Amino acid sequence: MPTVSQPQTPAALDSPLREHRHRPVERLTDRLETPSLDDRSYRVIKLPNQLEVLLVHDAETDKASAAMDVNVGNFSDPEDFPGHAVEHLLFMGTKKYPVENAYSQYLSSHSGSSNAYTGATSTNYYFEVAAKAAEDASANESSPLYGALDRFAQFFIDPLFLDSTLDRELRAVDSENKKNLQSDQWRLHQLEKSLSNPKHPYCHFSTGNFEVLKTEPEAKGIDVRQKFMEYHEKHYSANRMKLVILGREPLDTLEAWAADLFAGVRNKDLPQNRWEDEVPFGEKDLLTQCFAKPVMDSRELDLSFPFIDEEFLFESQPSRYISHLIGHEGPGSIMSYIKAKGWANGLSAGAYPVCPGTPGIFNCQIRLTEDGLKNYKEIVKVFFQYVSLLKETPPQEWIFEEQKGLADVAFKFKQKTPASRFTSKISAVMQTPLPRQWLLSGHSRLRKFDSAKIIEGLACLRPDNFRMTVVSQKFPGTWESKEKWYGTEYTYGKIPADFITEIKRAAASTSKTRLLELHLPHVNQFIPTKLEVEKKDIKEPAISPKLIRNDDLVRTWYKKDDTFWVPKANLFVNCRNTLPNATAENLLKARLFTDMVRDALEEYSYDAELAGLDYSISSHSMGIEIAVSGYNDKLSVLLEKVLITMRDLEIKPERFEIIKERVLRGLKNWDFQQPYNQVGDFTRWLNTEKGYITEQILAELPHLTAADIQQFYPHLLRQMHVETFVHGNLYKEDALRLSDLIENTLKPRILPQTQWPINRSLVFPPGGNYVYHKTLKDPANVNHCIEYLLFIGDKSNRPLRARALLLDQMTHEPAFDQLRTKEQLGYVVFSGVRTTSTTIGYRFIIQSEKTPQYLEERIDSFLHNYAKILANMTESEFEGHKRSLITKRLEKMKNLDQESGRLWSYIDNEYLDFELTHLDASNIKLLTKTDMTDFFSHYILPASPARSKLAIHLNAQTTKAADVITVVENGVKALGLNKDKKDEEDGEVVPVKTEGNGTTPYIITDVREFKSRLQVSAGPQPVKHISEFEELDSKL
């Protein structure tokens, strides 16, 4: 029974709450089903304007957050007019806070950040911010959360849709769309939508571009701004919104804030958005085949079935039973059979909802080998044979119970996630019809076995109720049509009748005619049974692990979990060896070896993965890394299997060829990803003494055979130094036993310490000015990219490091505001600290249709102008930045994996700097504004003779050399800048030739020669002698 309460604090006189005084806040529930370790308290309330709010009190959190999910998304877009831009425009100024970046500046100065996304039926806005005011904040400064909520609430009460920001934000939407144009994920999804029922909104183009949002409507005389305001007016209503607020404050305080700040959101009593009259795939859209040509070299077979509507089936979730069996990879499964045939590299299956009122879609995706593409029809028949097995066998309660048990354990020991990820996700969940006490556990737990609904779901997987898509660059070889928005080439038509007949025969197969290899899975042996955790009262969790074994062969680090108390553990193993980094061929052979190990373990490890136990094995420049993580109960069983497989691996030529071809495609496809994802590889390569880039590795691949790997890998394992780290719910004896297991299984010889590889980076001299040009290989890509890196120095120099981190904090928001929001250089604009294995620098990455030369000028100009901003910064602003950064550095770890990852990185990078974040914070605290202006003038200012820069220019093929000069000259005109002659007010660009430091750029053409000119850094030096961490048992 909902209870009713009054807000606890008196509302301010000018508060919109006063008019609601007679209508109290309704309390829906404060009893939520929570994980056993959850120390938060919860309350669900409804405000008088029908806005539903989940309040979360977390006394220990260092980040507060809120998220608002509005029940309107791109399915509600009017014809030919994407509403997604509203999400961009809403952030740009409100009546109460008219300055367009007031919100982002406020968040930035309180260790915060924000984002938003638009889905099919919801638009989700969220932020996070420091949970408490800094210790040295003035007495009248309230909680940072209150100030952020006040600004956030105004987006939903009085947004301005400022005319001055409209054009720029629509360009941001356009740039976001261009970023996705060459992405197969976006292209193939839109192709499926474009080929769906035009009467159902599933067919919409959801992102929008400049033509659709601005050029075309204006040509028709439509006032675009008015159109967005109407969209907001029509769809944004308090009763369609779900708000989650998480903070340190007591629930009563959070309730009062919610009631006070959000009371002004108008309730228009709009009905929930539902689409009940049409379906995405009607009769004429079924039994169709689509052959689509991807940008990247990939091969996929995709089967889609209109499915049952599971909106209200959250207790039984029948599709989870079906997808568990169809997506299984163990013995008897579809995947096991088609992999053994050499036809597939992967399979995934599951149902997904389309929107409220519309039944879902069940989908099975199979990643094909070359042979699999030739035999795609056979694979479809295997799929339908397996479905016939499921239909013939009544739903098995033991399989459901196994799934239910694992889901219960996973929920019981669920650890916290970052604050804004939690609020954003739960606000979206609140739009579903889940009982409110199940908001946290809702779709993760299974509550009842519903055999009839499973049978009903299986009945949808019929030969007359599906669509098939085959994705390949080579097959059929000609394509008849082009998709409107992304230009994807495809051929679409009905599935031939003779193939349908074969499918029907497969679907009607019986135990007599079916493939003998297909059967239900066995009982999962990896289900954890020991889930006890011995929890002790700990005054202060230990900062560093202990070194419990240290001899010539093995070093074992260990930390018993003293913070999270989950029945889980993480084990990391680094097998140090100099072979992988000796040549590009060796690096590739080590990679192929680890890929082959994973391939051999796929079927075995699948059960472990289902039961919450994962492993990974990968090669890198310093050797091979193995990691095993999850419930500690059977961790050693999985580790032993991985080690034995590594030791005894037989490289089968037919499997080797399949994996070699997969690696070949992966390396070739690397050139077709977003330029900003490629640029870091070149930066890393030009910062290390020895390293390899993709094209060097690719050149070695054709020469390798199965025999090469068979001969190579024993050398890889024959001599090494083993460093391990065990963290979690295991005792010291367990950790030592795991080390013994590694030693006794692999039996390696000792690699003497004098022969261990040393990590070094290149040192850029003062006044250095280096440029590396690369033309991007994707002819259809329109975006250039730059990484602009300023070298600072040794990353273990604490005062220098503190300055670099503070510079990152101070410039982060202004750089984004100037280079992206105001100048609209591109959707991807990033600035911040970049480290190598031993050095630290400060960099920008921008992906843009403007040339890298032009981008470099704009960055120079920003830095030149920032010197003035820094000089004029008030003491209180400066101290605010320091506080914000210190809060970020001292942010607590949320879960065991996060802490394990951090501690392992300190061991693996050889600095053993376990107190790094605390020492960073104390060094940042000492900094003065003079320290920062001196630092900026020396290392960062474009005019500084001591500054050292490396710029990587990735050039799109679309620009010809002559255009480059024109673009630079016209850059200011092209941006339409300074058209209103009010530069000072709106921060637009004034073309100023930034004064450089007089150095001539050194164009890197011969990389070996370039590296030979530079000095190298010292290797990593441990901050304390290793013996200080030892806790060795005396040998008897």
Side-chain angles (χ1 to χ4, degrees):
M1 182 72 203
T3 56
V4 166
S5 76
Q6 288 285 8
Q8 303 297 307
T9 55
L13 288 175
D14 58 350
S15 155
L17 188 65
R18 286 174 59 78
E19 60 203 70
H20 288 303
R21 258 291 165 244
H22 59 284
R23 294 184 58 194
V25 170
E26 187 184 358
R27 286 194 185 167
L28 302 180
T29 181
D30 52 9
R31 287 204 171 78
L32 267 65
E33 192 172 63
T34 59
S36 63
L37 299 152
D38 193 340
D39 53 4
R40 295 166 168 166
S41 47
Y42 301 88
R43 178 183 298 164
V44 184
I45 60 170
K46 194 175 266 183
L47 301 185
N49 57 2
Q50 300 304 293
L51 171 63
E52 193 181 14
V53 191
L54 169 66
L55 308 166
V56 186
H57 161 63
D58 184 338
E60 293 302 307
T61 189
D62 36 29
K63 278 282 167 77
S65 172
M68 178 78 91
D69 193 277
V70 187
N71 169 219
V72 57
N74 52 54
F75 278 15
S76 305
D77 291 350
E79 278 303 303
D80 300 336
F81 196 76
H84 159 222
V86 170
E87 165 221 311
H88 280 252
L89 292 160
L90 213 56
F91 283 120
M92 296 288 150
T94 58
K95 207 165 181 180
K96 186 172 178 182
Y97 296 103
V99 178
E100 67 173 83
N101 62 342
Y103 172 62
S104 59
Q105 266 185 329
Y106 180 87
L107 293 176
S108 176
S109 60
H110 293 92
S111 320
S113 62
S114 70
N115 213 335
Y117 69 80
T118 305
T121 59
S122 47
T123 310
N124 191 285
Y125 303 87
Y126 54 92
F127 69 81
E128 59 178 53
V129 70
K132 55 178 182 181
E135 285 155 25
D136 48 357
S138 59
N140 59 3
E141 273 187 58
S142 64
S143 144
L145 174 60
Y146 184 85
L149 281 173
D150 186 18
R151 287 160 179 79
F152 186 65
Q154 293 302 314
F155 297 146
F156 308 99
I157 297 170
D158 258 331
L160 289 177
F161 290 104
L162 289 168
D163 229 351
S164 57
T165 67
L166 185 72
D167 229 40
R168 292 201 307 248
E169 281 311 305
L170 294 184
R171 286 190 193 280
V173 173
D174 189 58
S175 179
E176 180 180 1
N177 180 54
K178 286 203 171 93
K179 174 176 78 70
N180 302 333
L181 285 179
Q182 292 301 98
S183 156
D184 282 323
Q185 199 182 346
W186 285 87
R187 292 168 71 94
L188 295 169
H189 183 54
Q190 185 62 49
L191 177 60
E192 184 191 15
K193 286 159 58 111
S194 297
L195 295 175
S196 69
N197 175 4
K199 293 185 180 148
H200 190 284
Y202 187 70
C203 70
H204 286 175
F205 168 48
S206 50
T207 317
N209 60 29
F210 202 72
E211 269 69 67
V212 172
L213 290 165
K214 190 88 167 40
T215 321
E216 290 169 13
E218 284 187 352
K220 296 176 193 161
I222 294 169
D223 178 344
V224 177
R225 176 172 179 256
Q226 194 53 42
K227 193 105 178 191
F228 285 123
M229 290 167 80
E230 283 165 16
Y231 183 93
H232 186 268
E233 182 60 34
K234 179 178 172 185
H235 292 292
Y236 277 55
S237 167
N239 71 316
R240 271 188 179 175
M241 298 181 185
K242 307 293 176 187
L243 174 65
V244 179
I245 301 175
L246 180 154
R248 291 175 81 104
E249 289 76 13
L251 290 174
D252 288 350
T253 306
L254 295 174
E255 180 177 306
W257 288 357
D260 194 7
L261 297 171
F262 290 86
V265 181
R266 285 195 300 289
N267 178 19
K268 300 163 192 168
D269 270 327
L270 300 178
Q272 182 201 17
N273 269 314
R274 298 185 72 79
W275 287 268
E276 291 166 339
D277 304 333
E278 292 280 347
V279 291
F281 302 120
E283 203 144 311
K284 69 172 185 43
D285 310 305
L286 296 172
L287 296 185
T288 53
Q289 56 182 20
C290 178
F291 297 94
K293 185 183 182 187
V295 172
M296 295 216 181
D297 189 359
S298 62
R299 293 181 294 265
E300 197 174 277
L301 167 66
D302 196 285
L303 303 175
S304 284
F305 300 81
F307 197 62
I308 58 175
D309 187 351
E310 295 188 280
E311 186 181 6
F312 295 97
L313 302 180
F314 40 78
E315 290 184 82
S316 58
Q317 300 178 60
S319 66
R320 276 178 64 177
Y321 176 92
I322 300 170
S323 59
H324 167 68
L325 296 174
I326 289 178
H328 211 283
E329 293 175 21
S333 64
I334 300 173
M335 180 58 192
S336 173
Y337 178 79
I338 58 179
K339 183 181 167 180
K341 283 289 213 182
W343 291 345
N345 285 318
L347 179 152
S348 59
Y352 60 91
V354 175
C355 59
T358 300
I361 292 170
F362 189 92
N363 177 268
C364 179
Q365 278 186 336
I366 297 159
R367 291 205 309 280
L368 303 172
T369 62
E370 285 180 292
D371 228 13
L373 181 61
K374 292 181 192 133
N375 288 288
Y376 77 88
K377 291 182 174 175
E378 294 305 310
I379 297 175
V380 175
K381 290 190 278 186
V382 173
F383 175 89
F384 277 102
Q385 282 205 25
Y386 191 83
V387 171
S388 74
L389 164 76
L390 298 184
K391 288 181 177 174
E392 173 187 288
T393 326
Q396 303 289 299
E397 193 155 1
W398 73 266
I399 294 178
F400 173 83
E401 284 302 328
E402 197 176 83
Q403 274 195 289
K404 178 180 183 300
L406 286 170
D408 286 346
V409 167
F411 181 70
K412 182 178 181 182
F413 297 110
K414 187 170 166 37
Q415 299 169 79
K416 287 181 185 172
T417 50
S420 61
R421 195 184 309 167
F422 171 84
T423 56
S424 171
K425 183 178 169 214
I426 301 298
S427 63
V429 169
M430 287 171 75
Q431 297 284 10
T432 67
L434 277 171
R436 303 293 96 171
Q437 64 271 27
W438 290 349
L439 284 177
L440 307 180
S441 59
H443 296 98
S444 46
R445 291 190 65 187
L446 291 162
R447 292 179 166 83
K448 79 175 193 222
F449 178 58
D450 188 338
S451 167
K453 282 290 176 201
I454 292 172
I455 292 167
E456 197 185 318
L458 280 169
C460 296
L461 310 185
R462 313 187 294 278
D464 64 346
N465 186 47
F466 79 105
R467 292 161 61 93
M468 175 179 80
T469 303
V470 176
V471 176
S472 156
Q473 282 190 340
K474 302 192 177 76
F475 183 81
T478 52
W479 293 268
E480 292 164 6
S481 313
K482 266 194 174 178
E483 192 273 324
K484 176 179 177 184
W485 299 108
Y486 291 82
T488 308
E489 294 182 72
Y490 70 96
T491 294
Y492 182 65
K494 286 287 184 185
I495 297 175
D498 56 343
F499 183 26
I500 294 283
T501 308
E502 290 179 51
I503 293 173
K504 284 184 172 161
R505 197 176 305 132
S509 62
T510 64
S511 52
K512 290 190 178 65
T513 56
R514 191 179 303 122
L515 289 166
L516 294 171
E517 292 89 338
L518 299 178
H519 58 78
L520 292 179
H522 305 301
V523 172
N524 189 339
Q525 302 301 326
F526 275 100
I527 289 176
T529 47
K530 293 198 197 88
L531 292 163
E532 299 76 38
V533 179
E534 185 193 355
K535 186 168 180 180
K536 292 182 176 163
D537 279 336
I538 302 274
K539 276 206 180 71
E540 200 55 49
I543 286 180
S544 62
K546 294 278 179 263
L547 184 60
I548 58 172
R549 174 175 172 183
N550 187 14
D551 53 49
D552 291 343
L553 181 64
V554 178
R555 277 206 299 228
T556 302
W557 296 87
Y558 164 73
K559 184 181 177 209
K560 172 94 174 70
D561 169 41
D562 53 8
T563 310
F564 302 104
W565 312 109
V566 283
K568 296 181 177 183
N570 291 315
L571 161 75
F572 300 90
V573 184
N574 190 16
C575 305
R576 261 201 196 91
N577 183 307
T578 50
L579 277 177
N581 214 32
T583 61
E585 184 192 279
N586 271 12
L587 198 64
L588 181 59
K589 286 194 288 197
R591 175 178 167 182
L592 285 164
F593 166 63
T594 55
D595 281 5
M596 295 290 298
V597 171
R598 279 203 303 276
D599 184 64
L601 282 165
E602 235 160 39
E603 209 168 271
Y604 176 86
S605 66
Y606 188 72
D607 271 349
E609 195 184 319
L610 287 176
L613 189 58
D614 272 317
Y615 84 99
S616 67
I617 172 171
S618 56
S619 58
H620 53 89
S621 62
M622 310 295 265
I624 284 182
E625 182 174 292
I626 307 162
V628 187
S629 64
Y631 297 112
N632 53 272
D633 180 18
K634 303 200 166 69
L635 188 137
S636 61
V637 180
L638 182 57
L639 174 67
E640 184 170 23
K641 182 73 175 180
V642 172
L643 294 166
I644 290 170
T645 306
M646 284 169 68
R647 183 191 71 194
D648 300 339
L649 187 67
E650 183 199 340
I651 308 283
K652 297 185 177 125
E654 68 282 3
R655 283 314 300 163
F656 174 76
E657 288 307 323
I658 286 172
I659 294 210
K660 178 178 169 180
E661 194 273 338
R662 190 168 81 199
V663 169
L664 173 71
R665 279 186 296 128
L667 292 170
K668 281 187 174 165
N669 287 339
W670 191 89
D671 289 317
F672 288 84
Q673 56 181 345
Q674 295 279 349
Y676 78 94
N677 287 327
Q678 297 182 40
V679 74
D681 226 37
F682 297 105
T683 317
R684 183 182 48 77
W685 182 47
L686 296 173
N687 268 281
T688 44
E689 184 184 17
K690 191 170 187 177
Y692 309 99
I693 50 173
T694 307
E695 62 190 54
Q696 295 170 304
I697 295 167
L698 182 58
E700 303 299 328
L701 191 59
H703 310 293
L704 294 181
T705 62
D708 291 329
I709 311 299
Q710 192 74 56
Q711 286 158 7
F712 175 73
Y713 89 77
H715 295 280
L716 201 55
L717 303 180
R718 189 157 99 198
Q719 194 178 18
M720 63 172 80
H721 174 259
V722 178
E723 184 142 40
T724 72
F725 170 46
V726 179
H727 178 218
N729 187 37
L730 288 170
Y731 291 98
K732 192 171 171 178
E733 302 69 51
D734 301 319
L736 291 167
R737 269 201 294 275
L738 291 170
S739 297
D740 291 342
L741 180 62
I742 298 164
E743 181 182 359
N744 297 332
T745 309
L746 297 180
K747 297 194 168 62
R749 284 178 50 224
I750 289 165
L751 180 71
Q753 193 180 356
T754 49
Q755 294 178 40
W756 294 359
I758 298 172
N759 244 328
R760 300 175 185 273
S761 307
L762 297 173
V763 173
F764 291 78
N769 182 357
Y770 302 95
V771 185
Y772 180 75
H773 292 278
K774 189 82 188 165
T775 301
L776 290 155
K777 295 215 176 102
D778 179 359
N781 159 63
V782 296
N783 284 313
H784 307 278
C785 182
I786 185 172
E787 180 158 359
Y788 173 118
L789 174 68
L790 298 175
F791 179 83
I792 293 171
D794 177 357
K795 75 172 180 187
S796 63
N797 174 336
R798 295 195 196 278
L800 193 62
R801 187 185 152 82
R803 286 164 171 77
L805 292 167
L806 186 56
L807 175 71
D808 176 348
Q809 156 68 30
M810 288 160 63
T811 54
H812 191 80
E813 201 279 333
F816 188 85
D817 184 54
Q818 181 61 38
L819 300 171
R820 180 179 150 182
T821 307
K822 293 205 169 71
E823 296 192 26
Q824 281 300 321
L825 295 178
Y827 186 73
V828 179
V829 173
F830 182 81
S831 68
V833 156
R834 179 188 179 113
T835 58
T836 67
S837 51
T838 56
T839 62
I840 192 164
Y842 170 75
R843 57 94 182 266
F844 291 81
I845 292 178
I846 303 178
Q847 176 173 301
S848 170
E849 291 180 73
K850 307 275 184 299
T851 64
Q853 289 90 325
Y854 180 70
L855 299 176
E856 194 166 324
E857 289 191 8
R858 298 318 309 146
I859 295 168
D860 281 340
S861 170
F862 167 74
L863 291 173
H864 176 77
N865 292 330
Y866 192 77
K868 295 179 215 137
I869 296 173
L870 181 58
N872 298 329
M873 191 178 283
T874 64
E875 240 3 88
S876 74
E877 274 180 283
F878 180 73
E879 289 302 318
H881 279 302
K882 281 167 60 177
R883 283 202 304 263
S884 188
L885 177 59
I886 288 168
T887 306
K888 271 187 210 153
R889 290 307 288 151
L890 297 179
E891 191 173 333
K892 291 195 203 77
M893 301 282 99
K894 300 285 180 293
N895 51 51
L896 185 74
D897 290 355
Q898 257 188 358
E899 190 189 345
S900 302
R902 180 182 277 190
L903 293 173
W904 175 239
S905 73
Y906 295 150
I907 295 167
D908 194 41
N909 69 21
E910 301 183 67
Y911 282 99
L912 308 181
D913 198 357
F914 300 109
E915 294 173 62
L916 177 71
T917 55
H918 301 277
L919 292 165
D920 275 348
S922 48
N923 276 279
I924 292 158
K925 204 165 189 168
L926 302 173
L927 294 176
T928 63
K929 196 177 139 190
T930 312
D931 290 335
M932 286 309 290
T933 46
D934 291 351
F935 169 79
F936 190 89
S937 309
H938 184 85
Y939 291 99
I940 310 298
L941 193 66
S944 162
R947 165 178 123 132
S948 196
K949 179 180 77 182
L950 166 68
I952 314 285
H953 290 195
L954 300 187
N955 298 292
Q957 293 184 23
T958 47
T959 308
K960 297 166 198 64
D963 298 349
V964 173
I965 300 140
T966 343
V967 168
V968 175
E969 287 173 356
N970 296 348
V972 174
K973 291 181 212 147
L975 281 169
L977 297 168
N978 199 18
K979 56 182 179 293
D980 52 9
K981 306 284 181 278
K982 289 186 184 167
D983 279 322
E984 291 309 306
E985 288 169 41
D986 55 19
E988 287 177 349
V989 182
V990 193
V992 178
K993 188 78 186 114
T994 309
E995 188 188 336
N997 59 2
T999 54
T1000 310
Y1002 173 94
I1003 310 290
I1004 301 168
T1005 48
D1006 178 334
V1007 171
R1008 185 172 183 273
E1009 186 212 14
F1010 157 72
K1011 290 187 178 186
S1012 69
R1013 287 165 173 261
L1014 298 186
Q1015 307 231 330
V1016 291
S1017 69
Q1021 303 300 311
V1023 297
K1024 287 183 187 166
H1025 192 270
I1026 195 153
S1027 59
E1028 293 191 41
F1029 299 103
E1030 287 184 342
E1031 196 177 83
L1032 309 177
D1033 291 343
S1034 50
K1035 293 210 165 62
L1036 297 170

